[in-house]
Amino acid sequence: MRTLQNLFPKEKFPNLLIGMDDGDDAAVYRLNEHLALIFTLDFFTPIVDNPYNFGSIAAANSMSDVYAMGGDVALALNICGFPKDMDPAVIVQILRGGADKVIEAGGILSGGHTINDDEPKYGLAVVGFIHPKKVLAKQGAKPGDVLLLTKPLGVGIITTALKAGRAHADHVREATESMQLLNKQASIILREAGVHAMTDVTGFALIGHSLEIALHSRVLLRFRAGDLPFLPGAADYAEQWLFPGGTADNRQTYERDVRISEDITEETALLLYTPETSGGLLAAVPKNKLGQVRSRFADAGQSVWVVGEVHEGHGIEIIG
Amino acid sequence: MTKTIDARGLSCPQPVIMTRDVIKDAKGGRITVLVDTMTQVYNVSRSAEKLGWTAGHEEKDDQFVITLEK
């Protein structure tokens, strides 16, 4: 993408609030002084066996970028690739899973496009709206902020274990429920609490996405390993070294800006580099808003974990 | 006796799983694993080292040969 960056400079396109050079997930375009459009897309190959659940996970994941920026979902279009000989009933299930998730988000699914493809693929292109002055980007985290995470980690290694035929059904069920959870409620609560910076945890893993906040905000993000929540099974599969290839890729990309204390096991460290799918929101929130945030999450019946804090400095630190 | 595991063309964690399935049944000896990338070398080697094996590797004609010994 870096090779394309210079083609669309912000100086030339003053209404482009977030573009390629911002390290953010979606594009944000100002329509007028009260309204900006958030535009994002994502799609992937099946990560669970149940087609309805796959559709619903892919849709939740695609819409997550809108929530990570503090916006609301308005419109979505299906992006599909299906093999010619695929059972139409299975396709219907995938599309229904996605459509139900868009309904839950309060958006409208209004069409899409399908091509023939050897391996099934599904996702959404999504349009959301936000006030142009309320866009939550990755800069803005301040020393003293607390770091909150709204879903446990570990779906990446659990779905990898599933693909390898080594995952326990209970672990897959919990991972599936976690991936299906929309980041909508969490986003609303966090933006109302005056969150300083926010992102969602997906392919670049906890460390990669945190580092984007750290670099753009010019601060140090310090996590306490013992406070990081993991789904049941994640530690077992790490012990069996069932890491996907993306784990090592992420580590190679980010490790020069990361300090991990020596009392943390290599398996735990690698879990923090393991790609997540439809992960939770990671937010830097003023400390005095913590009580309000906790009680709002409890009222909404959703979980939130305090996993670290923001300091002056550079990069990511993981302490025991 | 040297046993060879050909994990070329497979992506992680498959080479690790194949290696651990063999290690599980072997009390000791020498095992050779063929893989395509350095990431796979790292994952196979570290997971075997965790189980008490020593690991070394060399690059041959765009592929990697891992030697595990115990």
Side-chain angles (χ1 to χ4, degrees), chain A residues 160 164 166 241 248 251 266, chain B residues 13 17 21 39 42-43 46 50:
Chain A
T160 304
R166 303 279 166 136
W241 218 272
R251 189 172 71 160
E266 192 176 1
Chain B
I17 290 173
D21 282 350
T39 294
Y42 167 76
N43 280 328
R46 286 302 292 141
K50 291 273 166 183

Side-chain angles (χ1 to χ4, degrees), chain B:
Chain B
M1 196 184 83
T2 300
K3 189 171 168 51
T4 300
I5 300 168
D6 187 355
R8 288 172 299 176
L10 300 172
S11 52
C12 281
Q14 219 54 47
V16 170
I17 290 173
M18 292 166 76
T19 304
R20 286 176 75 108
D21 282 350
V22 170
I23 283 178
K24 206 172 56 198
D25 299 324
K27 290 202 167 57
R30 188 182 162 97
I31 296 169
T32 302
V33 189
L34 308 178
V35 296
D36 302 309
T37 68
M38 264 314 286
T39 294
Q40 293 161 347
V41 171
Y42 167 76
N43 280 328
V44 168
S45 302
R46 286 302 292 141
S47 94
E49 282 167 358
K50 291 273 166 183
L51 298 172
W53 292 66
T54 59
H57 72 271
E58 53 179 338
E59 191 174 353
K60 255 190 203 165
D61 308 328
D62 284 343
Q63 66 181 50
F64 296 90
V65 181
I66 307 169
T67 305
L68 305 174
E69 285 179 308
K70 185 176 173 181

Side-chain angles (χ1 to χ4, degrees), chain A residues 51-128:
Chain A
Y52 181 91
N53 290 344
F54 166 51
S56 128
I57 290 167
N61 183 68
S62 300
M63 292 186 283
S64 180
D65 283 348
V66 174
Y67 295 126
M69 299 198 133
D72 296 304
V73 169
L75 278 176
L77 297 171
N78 287 326
I79 308 164
C80 314
F82 296 126
K84 262 186 182 154
D85 56 355
M86 196 165 162
D87 180 356
V90 173
I91 294 175
V92 167
Q93 284 293 304
I94 294 172
L95 299 180
R96 188 60 206 245
D100 282 349
K101 209 34 91 172
V102 174
I103 292 170
E104 185 188 335
I108 304 165
L109 184 67
S110 43
H113 186 67
T114 304
I115 60 162
N116 285 320
D117 201 336
D118 292 343
E119 196 175 13
K121 295 177 183 72
Y122 177 66
L124 299 175
V126 184
V127 167

